[in-house]
Amino acid sequence: PRLAPRVSLSAVSPAVRVANAVPRRGWQIGWLAALCGWGRGQRAVAAPKKVVKIHSVDQEVEIPKAKVDTPVAKSLEKFTYPTRWPYGERDFFRLDRSDDAEFYAEPKLVKHLDDQTLKVLTEFYAVVFPKDREFSALDVCSSWISHYPQTPKPVRLAITGMNAEELKANVQATDWTVQDLNLDPKLPYGDAEFDVVTNTVSVDYLTKPLEVFREVGRVLRPGGLAVVAFSNRCFLSKLVAIWSVGDPDDRVEVAANYFHFADCFKDAEAVDLSPPNADPLFVVTAVRK
């Protein structure tokens, strides 16, 4: 079978989206510029340097390359969680509802984001991973590479994914399991077995995210860190409907809801790590209660 190309959500025609995204901010920028008199020669005033800090494993850390004034960076500042799980069956509809095992049967030994973006992700992991003690990590929906740094390095890196050949090729992993989380969200690990759980550019394919996030919480020890990283590139046919609409900050809110309704995490935090002239990179994290 031919490999399905990964496409950018920003390049997808509304005609082929599961639902149409509605731009929300273009008119606001022009209106605000007129109101504030931008472009009329006001004297610039130096603002104090802003930094982005998030909670990690037993500590708070500063993220050096995080953007501070983007919609994603601000998306959870005033976000109010719904009183009940806000998604239904239609939100997880996919254009291709065939067996995922068939789609992933052929190994995809490729990088799904460009090198500059993946470098930023690895640097982020280096900042948030524990540095003063040994730790164990789990990378779910993994492949032939986990994008972890050389240091700090987990003493154990367990991975799950869809293709055995891809998982066997992951030299960072200490053990691996083939598992389709859309069929069986139950992770094959004990309670509180890991300090860190990561998911890189795959959260948008989960059809049972609440069950998966509850399992992530179960295998994390209290105080452990869960990390969800995503971009705007995807296998469109396997994308769930809720992930095909809105802006990146809307997707941050979706991921935050996944954490919130799993009912075992502290409030989620969002980071915009998008490098210039490269694939964007957004991260949502949460610490296990």
Side-chain angles (χ1 to χ4, degrees):
R2 297 176 60 188
L3 297 184
R6 292 178 70 92
V7 300
S8 169
L9 285 175
S10 60
V12 174
S13 166
V16 298
R17 289 195 181 196
V18 179
N20 292 335
V22 179
R24 300 180 301 153
R25 298 184 178 82
W27 67 270
Q28 295 174 333
I29 294 173
W31 174 83
L32 190 58
L35 179 65
C36 297
W38 294 348
R40 296 179 187 173
Q42 283 88 347
R43 185 177 179 180
V45 178
K49 182 180 178 181
K50 297 180 181 179
V51 297
V52 174
K53 292 184 178 182
I54 65 170
H55 293 86
S56 184
V57 182
D58 300 326
Q59 62 180 329
E60 188 178 45
V61 295
E62 182 177 329
I63 311 301
K65 293 187 177 180
K67 297 185 175 182
V68 296
D69 290 321
T70 67
V72 164
K74 299 179 178 181
S75 57
L76 299 181
E77 290 179 359
K78 298 181 180 180
F79 178 61
T80 301
Y81 289 101
T83 57
R84 64 181 65 184
W85 177 246
Y87 310 116
E89 183 178 353
R90 64 183 295 176
D91 292 309
F92 302 105
F93 172 86
R94 298 183 296 172
L95 294 175
D96 179 1
R97 289 178 284 178
S98 64
D99 188 349
D100 287 340
E102 297 178 5
F103 183 84
Y104 293 102
E106 183 177 351
K108 299 173 175 62
L109 301 177
V110 298
K111 295 178 181 178
H112 298 300
L113 298 175
D114 57 34
D115 287 340
Q116 185 178 354
T117 301
L118 292 175
K119 180 176 182 290
V120 171
L121 177 62
T122 300
E123 292 171 348
F124 173 80
Y125 286 149
V127 171
V128 300
F129 284 178
K131 300 175 182 61
D132 55 351
R133 62 178 177 81
E134 293 184 343
F135 68 100
S136 296
L138 169 64
D139 190 26
V140 297
C141 305
S142 190
S143 181
W144 67 282
I145 186 170
S146 291
H147 311 294
Y148 280 23
Q150 289 299 312
T151 183
K153 179 181 179 181
V155 294
R156 179 193 181 192
L157 172 55
I159 62 174
T160 70
M162 291 294 296
N163 184 282
E165 186 172 335
E166 292 179 17
L167 300 179
K168 284 188 289 186
N170 191 325
V171 298
Q172 296 179 301
T174 57
D175 55 276
W176 56 271
T177 302
V178 174
Q179 183 169 0
D180 183 351
L181 294 178
N182 287 338
L183 285 180
D184 180 14
K186 177 76 172 179
L187 292 170
Y189 308 106
D191 296 353
E193 197 165 327
F194 299 98
D195 301 283
V196 176
V197 178
T198 57
N199 179 307
T200 302
V201 295
S202 294
V203 66
D204 43 356
Y205 305 129
L206 296 177
T207 60
K208 300 176 181 178
L210 187 56
E211 292 89 338
V212 171
F213 276 61
R214 283 173 175 164
E215 278 295 290
V216 169
R218 181 184 66 79
V219 302
L220 267 176
R221 71 167 183 82
L225 178 70
V227 179
V228 171
F230 64 95
S231 184
N232 67 349
R233 304 192 68 81
C234 64
F235 295 119
L236 184 62
S237 64
K238 288 297 184 179
L239 190 74
V240 297
I242 191 63
W243 220 266
S244 72
V245 299
D247 302 315
D249 53 307
D250 295 309
R251 299 176 193 120
V252 165
E253 293 177 1
V254 173
N257 277 329
Y258 290 175
F259 279 121
H260 177 75
F261 286 96
D263 200 29
C264 54
F265 293 96
K266 299 178 182 179
D267 285 348
E269 298 174 294
V271 182
D272 186 345
L273 293 170
S274 303
N277 304 313
D279 291 329
L281 181 62
F282 314 112
V283 177
V284 181
T285 68
V287 171
R288 178 69 163 87
K289 293 179 180 177

